Amino acid sequence: MAARVLLARGGLLRPAAPGSFLPGLRRVTSSGHRAREDSWLKSLFVRKVDPRKDAHSNLLAKKETSSLYKLQFHNVKPECLDAYNKICQEVLPKIHEDKQYPCTLVGTWNTWYGEQDQAVHLWRYEGGYPALTEVMNKLRENQEFVSFRKARSDMLLSRKNQLLLEFSFWNEPVPRSGPNIYELRSYQLRPGTMIEWGNYWARAIRFRQDSNEAVGGFFSQIGQLYMVHHLWAYKDLQTREDIRNAAWHKHGWEELVYYTVPLIQEMESRIMIPLKTSPLQ
């Protein structure tokens, strides 16, 4: 009985077509046929990459602004969440409103569905890395903030952050009235695929703006790399479901999803509720 050969395609193993063989199996063929077979097999496993003359950040980020974003994830002790929210709502708006700090609080939330007892904060630094450094230095001299950080540390189980740039084709995240729920969809991409992701989503975003649900799109620079975050706003969970289903009825959306899914290693969705002092309500 002839051996069944498995070939990889799209990450799956499938039986080889009748008459097809992998290299190394004995078969009498012409040299021309063998060369064509080797070329076809290489195309399955070797990704062709165009040479780039610039960093991904320069190719994908907005040129007209030099803003840097910081995304913070704080996992709070369950019994401390109310106290944590209280001190955040007392201190964070003061930094946001103080003109001596070149930063703004874009939004602050609690995760509703996803990782529980979690706070998420998104900051914008107008002026990039120099602005970030200036804010950090000034906050070290701010005694109220130093006390806030000490009290906060006693309430946390863990925390992490990322520094992000904004995709050039996404909306600028601006304050909006509520009530809304927010979805943060986070994608861990395969290394080397950020340009492909940006090219596809530069077209895909037009399918997702009819209901003004697109808030912001970002990609990581420091922290966990090859991370993409898309931030969406909806009136409620049913509205989210309706808007997402409607996208599948638009010609071209299914093709863009088809080509972007293979670029993803992991993905996560958080449904978040804004705190009362969040500019994104």
Side-chain angles (χ1 to χ4, degrees), residues 105-117:
L105 180 63
V106 177
T108 177
W109 304 268
N110 286 156
T111 300
W112 185 22
Y113 289 104
E115 196 159 355
Q116 297 293 282
D117 303 307

Side-chain angles (χ1 to χ4, degrees), residues 213-228:
E213 72 267 25
V215 178
F218 313 92
F219 60 100
S220 62
Q221 287 290 283
I222 296 178
Q224 191 171 357
L225 299 179
Y226 282 96
M227 283 292 299
V228 168

Side-chain angles (χ1 to χ4, degrees), residues 30-100:
S30 68
S31 60
H33 181 82
R34 186 180 301 277
R36 288 194 300 272
E37 186 177 76
D38 290 345
S39 176
W40 178 80
L41 284 168
K42 287 179 180 178
S43 71
L44 287 176
F45 299 103
V46 178
R47 176 179 293 275
K48 297 179 180 178
V49 178
D50 294 331
R52 298 291 176 183
K53 302 299 183 182
D54 208 348
H56 288 179
S57 58
N58 293 333
L59 294 170
L60 294 170
K62 289 186 175 178
K63 300 296 190 296
E64 66 273 16
T65 64
S66 56
S67 292
L68 180 71
Y69 291 82
K70 180 169 69 175
L71 185 61
Q72 299 174 298
F73 299 99
H74 291 173
N75 292 316
V76 185
K77 296 175 182 177
E79 67 274 15
C80 296
L81 186 60
D82 289 340
Y84 173 92
N85 288 338
K86 184 174 184 291
I87 63 171
C88 284
Q89 292 180 114
E90 290 173 353
V91 176
L92 300 188
K94 294 179 181 179
I95 300 170
H96 170 75
E97 295 165 2
D98 193 331
K99 300 302 182 184
Q100 73 166 316

Side-chain angles (χ1 to χ4, degrees), residues 251-268:
H251 179 69
W253 172 255
E254 73 287 347
E255 180 182 359
L256 292 166
V257 172
Y258 176 83
Y259 284 113
T260 53
V261 165
L263 308 180
I264 302 170
Q265 286 187 330
E266 295 181 12
M267 57 189 298
E268 182 177 5

Side-chain angles (χ1 to χ4, degrees), residues 141-183:
E141 306 300 322
N142 184 327
Q143 292 305 310
E144 182 181 21
F145 185 78
V146 170
S147 298
F148 160 75
R149 287 198 62 178
K150 185 178 184 304
R152 186 187 68 182
S153 66
D154 294 333
M155 303 177 185
L156 297 182
L157 294 170
S158 64
R159 60 192 179 105
K160 70 175 182 178
N161 58 26
Q162 293 177 336
L163 294 180
L164 314 169
L165 294 178
E166 183 182 13
F167 282 114
S168 60
F169 46 84
W170 271 79
N171 301 333
E172 183 81 12
V174 296
R176 64 172 67 197
S177 58
N180 294 294
I181 62 171
Y182 288 82
E183 181 176 19

Side-chain angles (χ1 to χ4, degrees), residues 206-252:
R206 72 178 187 269
F207 294 105
R208 296 296 311 275
Q209 297 194 4
D210 292 348
S211 301
N212 194 34
E213 72 267 25
V215 178
F218 313 92
F219 60 100
S220 62
Q221 287 290 283
I222 296 178
Q224 191 171 357
L225 299 179
Y226 282 96
M227 283 292 299
V228 168
H229 300 282
H230 293 174
L231 184 61
W232 309 91
Y234 305 101
K235 291 300 179 186
D236 50 43
L237 288 173
Q238 185 59 54
T239 301
R240 170 188 177 272
E241 181 77 2
D242 295 341
I243 290 174
R244 288 176 54 82
N245 286 340
W248 289 96
H249 297 286
K250 299 175 181 179
H251 179 69

